[in-house]
Amino acid sequence: MEEKLMEESSGQKETFRGTVQQLKKKAAESNVIVTHAQIAGKLNIPLEQFNTCYISDEAPPELFPLLRSQYSDIIGNLRVIHIWFTETIEVPDPEFDEE
């Protein structure tokens, strides 16, 4: 019987959506409402670009330190990281099972 290879991968990235969600959550805990339009203004990007980054969870790396510096009073040096692990296991075909 042929041996099947198992494929594994992992990675991590700073998450734009997660960072914005934490910013809004921490602001709300202090009874402060922070909108996407306000954040986009502080990042000096159009709201449409902000929304694209938020939905896709992909943002230029330079936006993260800018976001932290603009909202240092709320999130300080908070980093929200998305970590993933992928494991692919091929299930043997029962037709070729030799039991």
Side-chain angles (χ1 to χ4, degrees), residues 16-85:
F16 187 74
R17 184 181 321 124
T19 303
V20 169
Q21 288 171 342
Q22 285 301 306
L23 165 63
K24 293 174 83 171
K25 178 182 173 185
K26 289 196 173 286
E29 289 171 0
S30 300
N31 295 320
V32 175
I33 303 299
V34 178
T35 67
H36 287 187
Q38 291 170 327
I39 299 169
K42 286 205 175 199
L43 296 177
N44 200 27
I45 61 173
L47 181 57
E48 183 177 309
Q49 181 184 353
F50 174 91
N51 287 333
T52 299
C53 292
Y54 186 84
I55 291 167
S56 69
D57 200 16
E58 296 288 333
E62 61 272 9
L63 287 185
F64 292 99
L66 182 57
L67 184 60
R68 284 189 288 277
S69 70
Q70 292 296 318
Y71 289 98
S72 63
D73 57 327
I74 299 173
I75 59 171
N77 286 323
L78 174 76
R79 291 180 183 269
V80 180
I81 306 293
H82 176 111
I83 300 172
W84 69 90
F85 299 95

